[in-house]
């Protein structure tokens, strides 16, 4: 498996990229890097600071200056890491439905993408990394050794997100989640800079009828060549 040092996993909202990426990274002893948390951090802090999501200049300034940090967890509440923004713990705050609803808007701003993509690329080029997002195989690490595009129907993805929220003790509404996912897909796929799409050399995995372990098995086989 040593020929694969950089692994890119892209795909739409809730397609299971993070779950797959985490397991794969653990199996290989690689760093797992979920780039979505960086976009979520910007959207979350903008809301906390009452910065208008539509104010591209202010949001871009925030993306250029916000210190985003991922550290080993100091609280044991099911989190994998602590996510800090200018020193403040926002680990769970980035998962709020309000963040889901605004993150794709800020992720479409070219200045935001420039600021975050350069940091992601710097980390990815060190190798031994599984990097997850929307544009890893197309823009962030086009030279990745393996590119996966993980897909599933919107209904299946909404069901997965619904179960996740239920398990966290929340009271989710399936139809609200489906609507939010469809809207995010629409914005992510139609933006001008780095839209969501499979790289021409990506392996596309349709995961509707596959369990997490079955998807992992497909990828493990790919790594064996
Ligand atoms: O976990 P989920 O699949 O719902 O989303 P995420 O990976 O946390 O990403 C949240 C949002 O950030 C996406 O809907 C995109 O708008 C944006 N994003 C992006 O534009 N580029 C990336 N590399 C990662 C996320």
């Amino acid at each position: 498996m040593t020929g694969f040092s950089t692994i890119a996993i892209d795909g739409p909202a809730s397609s299971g990229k993070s779950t797959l990426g985490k397991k794969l990274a653990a199996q290989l002893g690689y760093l797992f890097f979920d780039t979505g948390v960086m976009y979520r951090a910007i959207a979350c802090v903008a809301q906390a600071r009452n910065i208008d999501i539509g104010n591209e200049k202010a949001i871009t300034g925030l993306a250029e200056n916000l210190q985003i940090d991922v550290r080993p967890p100091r609280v044991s509440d099911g989190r994998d890491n602590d996510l800090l923004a200018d020193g403040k713990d926002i680990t769970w705050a980035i998962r709020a439905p309000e963040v889901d609803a605004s993150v794709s808007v800020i992720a479409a701003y070219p200045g935001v993408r420039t600021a975050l993509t350069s940091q992601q690329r710097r980390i990815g080029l060190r190798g031994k990394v599984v990097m997850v997002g929307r544009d890893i195989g197309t823009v962030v690490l086009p030279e990745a050794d393996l590119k996966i595009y993980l897909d599933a129907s919107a209904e299946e993805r909404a069901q997965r997100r619904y179960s996740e929220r239920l398990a966290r003790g929340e009271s989710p509404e399936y139809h609200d989640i489906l609507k939010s996912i469809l809207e995010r897909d629409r914005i992510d796929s139609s933006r001008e800079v780095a839209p969501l799409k499979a790289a021409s050399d990506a392996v596309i995995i349709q995961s509707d009828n596959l369990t997490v372990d079955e998807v992992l098995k497909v990828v493990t086989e790919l790594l064996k060549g």
Side-chain angles (χ1 to χ4, degrees), residues 90-161:
I90 56 164
T91 310
W92 291 118
I94 63 162
R95 302 291 166 194
E98 298 76 31
V99 174
D100 279 355
S102 61
V103 63
S104 289
V105 176
I106 69 104
Y109 294 149
V112 169
R113 302 206 70 84
T114 304
L116 300 189
T117 299
S118 60
Q119 299 183 51
Q120 293 160 8
R121 184 164 167 75
R122 179 175 50 78
I123 294 167
L125 285 177
R126 293 182 197 147
K128 293 200 165 191
V129 67
V130 178
M131 199 176 279
V132 171
R134 300 289 185 290
D135 58 342
I136 310 306
T138 51
V139 175
V140 178
L141 290 174
E143 64 276 80
D145 300 316
L146 176 66
K147 300 179 188 179
I148 305 288
Y149 186 88
L150 189 57
D151 210 347
S153 68
E155 290 74 17
E156 170 71 22
R157 293 184 281 125
Q159 186 58 49
R160 290 176 189 170
R161 186 53 49 103

Side-chain angles (χ1 to χ4, degrees), residues 38-73:
M38 299 182 82
Y39 293 93
R40 286 177 176 273
I42 307 296
C44 180
V45 171
Q47 278 169 6
R49 294 185 188 171
N50 284 320
I51 302 172
D52 178 7
I53 288 297
N55 186 340
E56 182 170 349
K57 194 158 174 262
I59 298 283
T60 302
L62 180 64
E64 285 165 350
N65 293 301
L66 190 70
Q67 294 294 318
I68 302 171
D69 224 332
V70 181
R71 299 259 177 91

Side-chain angles (χ1 to χ4, degrees), residues 5-12 14-36 80-81 128-133 136 146-150 160 205 207 211-217 219-220 223:
S5 184
T6 45
I7 299 171
I9 305 176
D10 291 301
S14 302
S15 58
K17 307 177 297 289
S18 299
T19 312
L20 170 67
K22 235 181 272 177
K23 288 200 170 212
L24 194 60
Q27 192 170 295
L28 297 168
Y30 285 9
L31 175 75
F32 169 65
F33 186 0
D34 178 4
T35 59
D80 297 311
N81 296 105
K128 293 200 165 191
V129 67
V130 178
M131 199 176 279
V132 171
I136 310 306
L146 176 66
K147 300 179 188 179
I148 305 288
Y149 186 88
L150 189 57
R160 290 176 189 170
I205 302 177
S207 73
T211 63
V212 171
D213 285 333
E214 284 168 342
V215 175
L216 186 63
K217 194 156 169 260
V219 178
T220 307
L223 289 171

